[in-house]
Amino acid sequence: MTVHGATWVQGAAGSQFPITNLPYGAFTVTSDERPRLGVAIGDHVLDLAAVLPDVAALAEPSLNAFMAMGRSAWAEVRARIIDLLCDTSEQATVEPHLVPIRSVQMHLPLEVADYVDFYSSEHHARNLGRILRPGQPELADNWKHLPIGYHGRAGTARVSGTPVVRPRGQRLSPSTSQPEHGPTRRLDIEAEVGWVVGVPSELGRPVPLHAFRDHVFGACLVNDWSARDLQSWEYVPLGPFLGKSFLTSVSPWIVPLAALDDAWLPPVERDTPLLAYLDDTGRRDGIDLTLEVRLNGTVVSRPPFAGMYWTAAQQLAHLTTNGASVRTGDLYASGTVSGPEPNQRGSLIELSWNGTAPIRLDDGSTRTFLEDGDEVIISATAPGPQGTTIGFGSVRGRVVAE
Amino acid sequence: MTVHGATWVQGAAGSQFPITNLPYGAFTVTSDERPRLGVAIGDHVLDLAAVLPDVAALAEPSLNAFMAMGRSAWAEVRARIIDLLCDTSEQATVEPHLVPIRSVQMHLPLEVADYVDFYSSEHHARNLGRILRPGQPELADNWKHLPIGYHGRAGTARVSGTPVVRPRGQRLSPSTSQPEHGPTRRLDIEAEVGWVVGVPSELGRPVPLHAFRDHVFGACLVNDWSARDLQSWEYVPLGPFLGKSFLTSVSPWIVPLAALDDAWLPPVERDTPLLAYLDDTGRRDGIDLTLEVRLNGTVVSRPPFAGMYWTAAQQLAHLTTNGASVRTGDLYASGTVSGPEPNQRGSLIELSWNGTAPIRLDDGSTRTFLEDGDEVIISATAPGPQGTTIGFGSVRGRVVAE
């Protein structure tokens, strides 16, 4: 366990990016340069290639090469960064490579290989069941036996801040019951946590629960924008497709697992026996994150991640149990994070109960689904070592008319 | 229209790789070298970097860079290859770069970006409806309005010949109605045609039907191996996941669209009016391919591709109509190709009618689903110019015990 000293960087202590966090991202200062890799510290970004020139992977424009190096390299680089930022004798040489965070443009920090989206909040799954399939069981028979998930479109994962162009597509006309083509009328969010794979696995070799940390590099925030009317028309029998594929926004900072050491906790109690490859009895694979969803500045939800039924380790074990391999850059997301309380729901279809109960914003307006011009910001924090708070930054997007 | 002369390559005329075909692939001769790009001609592979050293993209180990160059570059390179292989004055310099096809190892010819699998054969969709949902309508309400599809796992696309390790996973125990974990008992094939994107599109810019040839580089064969027991347990409500993700086999040769000029024909008649972005009235976007499926040497099916309800151009228009972008290396497959006759079905679940009607092989044995040691070879041909036949080569795989 690394002992963190105090950093000489002003303003880091007490910020969302203290010395115990050090999330990785890709940034530019001028519009014509190639993205550079950095870690966030307080209000600054440390230019990694400048201070660790011997690590060739840190001179790449995305994290993939560094993430592929594996746990010992991740630990060594993290220890060296901590030393550089805590040792006052380094300050004079390192300080010129701290760039004010307000002056940088952030980029997608990884090249996304495969993108998988899970459905692992019991509260979310039950809410959707009640809303969409009234009179039927809230959960499908399989839900408590395996983490339900599906593949999404990797090519439309974009960094936080990318405009959310209202997608067009087929939806049923309420008057004719025939499909028509036009802009979605039910544009929604899904507040999620994403996990990024660093070290690949081999085809035919499942990744057991205990090997999670050998493969996964870190965590981020994901907003899986959803067009509910497109989705409900298309999804039988092969699942969501165009209702999701137009954009998936990813936060610019990848929080390394080492920063989350103090946030792990036992997962929620399971009421259904699990098959061996998913049985995490005695493991601390749950994680204590609290998300916050703001719509036009109003906090509309604070979803607690600790209550997720399926853990990130189980999701990885499940998605490889058939022999499927993972690659550097694979991103898999938790599914919408919703808690048991109405103000802990991670999507508008839940918060407005399918549009029947509009939510009120601080400016007095109400919302069911998103209107053009609306801005959504999802952020999260976790408890860090020594009383610090580990911030995830945020994933944001503003809706623009198509 | 390029006029094809006779080639000086012995054995090309009348083979599946005549001068009118020239499909692209990636090959090695020794096990320690990087893959090289080539075109197939008769019984040989032409080493492209050796004969066209000025085209830097042809020195790459996959087709992606070349495919990204676009239509005019594809046409120019094709014309130059035809000249080299037809002009006898070139023979002495070119012939040393023809490698016997039997001496090469083929590799996955592209880096797959996103993989999408459609469901575009009406016969297949109706058969599956009858088998899996008896008493309900054969087709879902949406089927005739849009090409149903879903994202698959790009990272487990592998070249033809990759062993098919029988996947394990959750399936319902017939005796207890509880899930158990073990090797699939219902391993199946899906005979499909795949389309490879060369030129990317922009986020927010749909690709209309008429722009199909500006983006799509060529076609290949796909076997979308499926574990039906895993799939049926997991797929509600988000679609297929582990039942498909363990392996998708791709043929080593990408047939360029230019080789298919004589194979286009009007699509099948539609009985349901189409929305404007899918309306291909008057277009010749259907294609006259005949597939052949061999199981342990016995031809078990000859699925006709001309009868597909949705065309490749419609599939591309649909998958981008919400603004989703495509990238170089995107692969999208047709879905199982099945014709109206029992011996035209492209999957074993159809051929054996869900296991109730075993099929008989030439050696006297019978099959419902695949047994360990079984080998499946899918091939296809299209009519080419001047009475030639355009062969797709084949996609093959042998099942090995897990």
Side-chain angles (χ1 to χ4, degrees), chain A residues 114 142 145-146 149 151 153-155 168 170 179 181 233 236 238-239 242 245-246 277 318 321-322 325 327 330, chain B residues 114 142 145 149 151 153-155 167-168 170 179 181 233 236 238-239 241-242 245-246 277 318 321-322 325 327 330:
Chain A
D114 271 302
N142 53 19
H145 293 282
L146 53 80
H151 287 94
R153 190 160 188 81
R168 301 175 71 93
Q170 285 198 29
H181 192 273
W233 170 235
V236 174
L238 299 183
L242 296 183
S245 66
F246 56 95
Y277 78 104
H318 184 63
T321 194
N322 66 347
S325 48
R327 291 180 292 172
D330 277 1
Chain B
D114 270 302
N142 53 20
H145 293 282
H151 286 94
R153 190 160 189 81
R168 302 176 70 91
Q170 285 198 28
H181 192 271
W233 170 235
V236 173
L238 299 183
F241 187 31
L242 296 184
S245 66
F246 56 96
Y277 78 104
H318 183 63
T321 194
N322 66 347
S325 48
R327 290 180 292 172
D330 277 1

Side-chain angles (χ1 to χ4, degrees), chain A residues 170 181 241-242, chain B residues 116 118 120-121 143-149 195 206-213 216 264-287 306-322 332-334:
Chain A
Q170 285 198 29
H181 192 273
F241 188 31
L242 296 183
Chain B
V116 167
F118 283 96
S120 290
S121 158
W143 200 93
K144 292 255 170 139
H145 293 282
L146 53 80
I148 294 288
W195 303 88
V207 178
L209 292 175
H210 65 76
F212 170 74
R213 282 162 176 259
V216 170
W264 300 100
L265 38 69
V268 298
E269 203 164 330
R270 277 64 179 260
D271 49 21
T272 301
L274 294 178
L275 288 164
Y277 78 104
L278 293 173
D279 185 354
D280 58 0
T281 306
R283 296 187 56 84
R284 292 172 59 87
D285 291 339
I287 189 161
M308 297 294 280
Y309 197 86
W310 298 104
T311 70
Q314 287 172 320
Q315 290 163 344
L316 183 61
H318 183 63
L319 85 79
T320 59
T321 194
N322 66 347
Y332 66 96
S334 58

Side-chain angles (χ1 to χ4, degrees), chain A residues 229-248:
Chain A
D229 41 2
L230 277 54
Q231 185 183 350
S232 66
W233 170 235
E234 75 181 355
Y235 91 107
V236 174
L238 299 183
F241 188 31
L242 296 183
K244 303 280 195 170
S245 66
F246 56 95
L247 182 68
T248 303

Side-chain angles (χ1 to χ4, degrees), chain A residues 5-20 41-43 388-389:
Chain A
T7 174
W8 49 259
V9 179
Q10 296 282 328
S15 80
Q16 69 166 328
F17 301 134
I19 188 70
T20 50
I41 177 77
D43 299 326
T388 58
T389 294

